Amino acid sequence: MVHLPDDDEESEDRSKSETAGGDGDPSQTLPKDENGTSHLSRLQLKQIEMNTFSVAGICHATNVANMHRHLAKTLHHIPQSLSHLDPATTPSPQNLESSSLPPNPLLSSLVSLLVHTHTLYTPSHLLPPPIPPDCPSPSSPRQTCLLIPTQPLNFNIADERPIEEALWSHTPPIPTFRVVFPSEILERCRLGPRRELLFRPPRISSWDSDAKDEGGDAVEEYEVSLIYWRAGYEESEYTTPSPSPSPAAAEATPGIRARTLLSLSRAIHAPDLLTHLATFKSVQAAISSLPIDALAELLPDTPSRAANGEEDELGKEDQEEEGQETRAPRDNVNSSRNRNRAAIATKLKSTFLSFSDPSATLPQDIGNYVLKPNREGGGHAIFGADIPDHISRMDRDEKRKLKDRFILQRLALTPSLAQNTLLLPLLPSAPNDHRGIYEGDVVHEIGGVSAVLFRRNRDHRKRDTKQGRLQILSHEFLGYTFKTKPVGAREMSVVKGRGVFDWPLLIDDEISS
């Protein structure tokens, strides 16, 4: 998502929603309930979590999709795993690439979004008065740049470099710098008099205004237009003390000081601090517990025939009438909008997994639950039978804060309806049958990546009652991430070697029980 601040403030936010489901494999016997009904008829997507901060895998997902499409063009054969399918419905090699392996525009869509957001930033020298007292004007307008905070010793650089290179290759080039959070942020960034974020590239390490580069020219300061966060989501990034104590370090850790510095600036954020907090697990749990009518109130108006143009025509015609007839068309439109929202809320509600209070008595079927830290992002989860032991090892203070720091989420039922061959890393921590080449039952997770560009309205007098505090400027879908893991793997973690990036082969094949 992208949050553009009002007047002289801006920001960006991206949201990712991951859902788990299964692919069809008619060669398997599907389980039935006591009435003989196949569970397949009740399969549906379930929302596992929402991420808005440092959403990773965008470049990997694009590359893997391109790889599969390339192989489909060059190998010219149907995979052996599809040999059981009906030839009448199975794609031929000639149309396999175009119709069954869809392109994934995720990387190009993200780059286009970042470019567009970069152009929306208003440089400080173009801001209208009033100018702060004693505010020195730059001798010439500063060039704007994009900043990507990254983690130190980052092994996932291959998921970041293509974005950086694409921005530099844009016409005109957009200077883009990857900076280590928090050390290089504190070293190379500062706030200007109008809250502009100024960045000095790593050519020198001093903020001396008379500094020269090796050629004797004045060193350039960039004004940061957009901060695309790829770090700052781990708790340790804010609790680790400074290696060299200083008066400033005594007040706050480097991570807190760096995040505060960037958050106080006018730069656009992807995402801003409030949007980061909005996808903590406790927020997701609170939304999932809302009744249908309350959930519908959170949804925007959805386009319909009545709301998409006919309302204006009806309004024009009926302005000439009098009494109740004048209000009837608009009442009908409002009723239609409410029904649309209620229908969407009902469908959305069905995708939510249930949550429980981890500080209360644990459910008897604890094996069907996962204990997750109350933070954005995945990882660090405790599964099933390990949960009681994990809680029992907590001290009294940790148990007292258990409800605030963790959520208990019911696991999604992920029946294996497909088989595949996965190439997994040889990690000692992985089960023996989940290392190297794995052949067997698999389950999938699909992540839908979308982008919302919005401006937060801080002036209560100017707030639109329909939009509240936010002005939504755009909302677009960017693409997918698709991952596969062995059926016995607890979590879908590519980093930990539990799963892999993948891409679906779409087929028109009826699955029967």
Side-chain angles (χ1 to χ4, degrees), residues 236-259:
S236 60
E237 293 179 276
Y238 299 98
T239 58
T240 303
S242 174
S244 54
S246 63
E251 300 175 4
T253 64
I256 293 176
R257 288 189 288 126
R259 187 68 185 266

Side-chain angles (χ1 to χ4, degrees), residues 53-133:
F53 198 77
S54 191
V55 179
I58 287 175
C59 298
H60 298 322
T62 303
N63 290 336
V64 169
N66 290 339
M67 177 192 72
H68 282 288
R69 287 165 57 82
H70 173 72
L71 292 176
K73 293 176 184 177
T74 57
L75 296 182
H76 296 293
H77 74 275
I78 296 297
Q80 187 176 2
S81 61
L82 298 180
S83 59
H84 64 276
L85 299 179
D86 183 354
T89 60
T90 302
S92 64
Q94 288 72 28
N95 62 19
L96 180 62
E97 182 272 333
S98 60
S99 64
S100 302
L101 285 168
N104 190 10
L106 191 49
L107 175 57
S108 59
S109 298
L110 173 64
V111 171
S112 297
L113 171 73
L114 296 176
V115 170
H116 173 64
T117 308
H118 169 79
T119 63
L120 295 178
Y121 177 79
T122 304
S124 57
H125 71 279
L126 295 179
L127 290 177
I131 299 177

Side-chain angles (χ1 to χ4, degrees), residues 424-430 435-437:
L424 300 169
L426 297 171
L427 296 179
S429 59
R435 297 187 218 166
I437 297 178

Side-chain angles (χ1 to χ4, degrees), residues 209-491:
S209 60
D210 297 326
K212 309 289 183 180
D213 63 15
E214 294 179 357
D217 297 324
V219 173
E220 185 177 16
E221 270 186 5
Y222 289 88
E223 183 171 343
V224 178
S225 62
L226 171 62
I227 302 170
Y228 172 49
W229 286 92
R230 296 300 298 261
Y233 53 88
E234 292 281 359
E235 182 180 354
S236 60
E237 293 179 276
Y238 299 98
T239 58
T240 303
S242 174
S244 54
S246 63
E251 300 175 4
T253 64
I256 293 176
R257 288 189 288 126
R259 187 68 185 266
T260 302
L261 171 66
L262 299 188
S263 297
L264 290 175
S265 73
R266 291 184 54 251
I268 304 171
H269 290 257
D272 69 330
L273 185 57
L274 288 179
T275 308
H276 179 189
L277 297 177
T279 50
F280 272 37
K281 299 298 185 291
S282 58
V283 177
Q284 184 181 352
I287 293 176
S288 69
S289 65
L290 292 175
I292 297 296
D293 55 347
L295 187 61
E297 286 297 318
L298 298 178
L299 300 176
D301 287 336
T302 54
S304 63
R305 282 192 67 191
N308 237 8
E310 292 190 10
E311 175 185 358
D312 292 337
E313 294 301 319
L314 288 170
K316 291 176 183 177
E317 295 174 4
D318 290 322
Q319 282 175 0
E320 301 175 1
E321 305 293 335
E322 293 182 1
Q324 185 67 27
E325 293 182 0
T326 307
R327 294 189 296 273
R330 187 168 298 275
D331 290 342
N332 291 337
V333 168
N334 291 336
S335 178
S336 175
R337 286 173 171 170
N338 291 336
R339 286 196 302 270
N340 288 339
R341 282 206 301 251
I344 294 175
T346 302
K347 292 181 180 179
L348 187 61
K349 181 81 171 178
S350 69
T351 69
F352 291 152
L353 295 165
S354 60
F355 291 83
S356 299
D357 181 359
S359 63
T361 302
L362 295 178
Q364 291 185 349
D365 59 339
I366 191 62
N368 295 326
Y369 284 83
V370 56
L371 186 70
K372 294 182 177 181
N374 183 22
R375 39 162 281 187
E376 195 276 344
H380 311 290
I382 309 298
F383 290 84
D386 296 335
I387 296 175
D389 290 340
H390 180 78
I391 294 178
S392 66
R393 290 194 299 268
M394 294 180 177
D395 58 34
R396 179 179 299 179
D397 185 58
E398 289 177 317
K399 289 181 179 179
R400 183 173 57 84
K401 299 177 181 178
L402 184 61
K403 184 177 180 180
D404 297 326
R405 299 190 62 183
F406 290 88
I407 60 97
L408 194 62
Q409 183 183 32
R410 192 169 187 87
L411 286 169
L413 174 65
T414 53
S416 174
L417 300 178
Q419 292 185 336
N420 212 329
T421 301
L422 308 180
L423 182 59
L424 300 169
L426 297 171
L427 296 179
S429 59
N432 290 332
D433 58 344
H434 290 177
R435 297 187 218 166
I437 297 178
Y438 169 87
E439 294 181 282
D441 295 342
V442 296
V443 293
H444 308 291
E445 284 186 7
I446 182 172
V449 185
S450 61
V452 180
L453 183 67
F454 64 90
R455 175 177 283 111
R456 182 170 287 116
N457 187 356
R458 301 181 185 277
D459 189 339
H460 294 263
R461 295 168 297 179
K462 297 179 181 180
R463 283 181 186 165
D464 187 323
T465 55
K466 293 182 179 180
Q467 294 198 15
R469 302 184 179 208
L470 298 182
Q471 179 187 2
I472 305 297
L473 303 180
S474 68
H475 185 190
E476 56 186 296
F477 185 76
L478 302 183
Y480 295 98
T481 63
F482 191 86
K483 302 174 188 176
T484 303
K485 67 178 179 179
V487 70
R490 284 180 164 180
E491 57 181 322

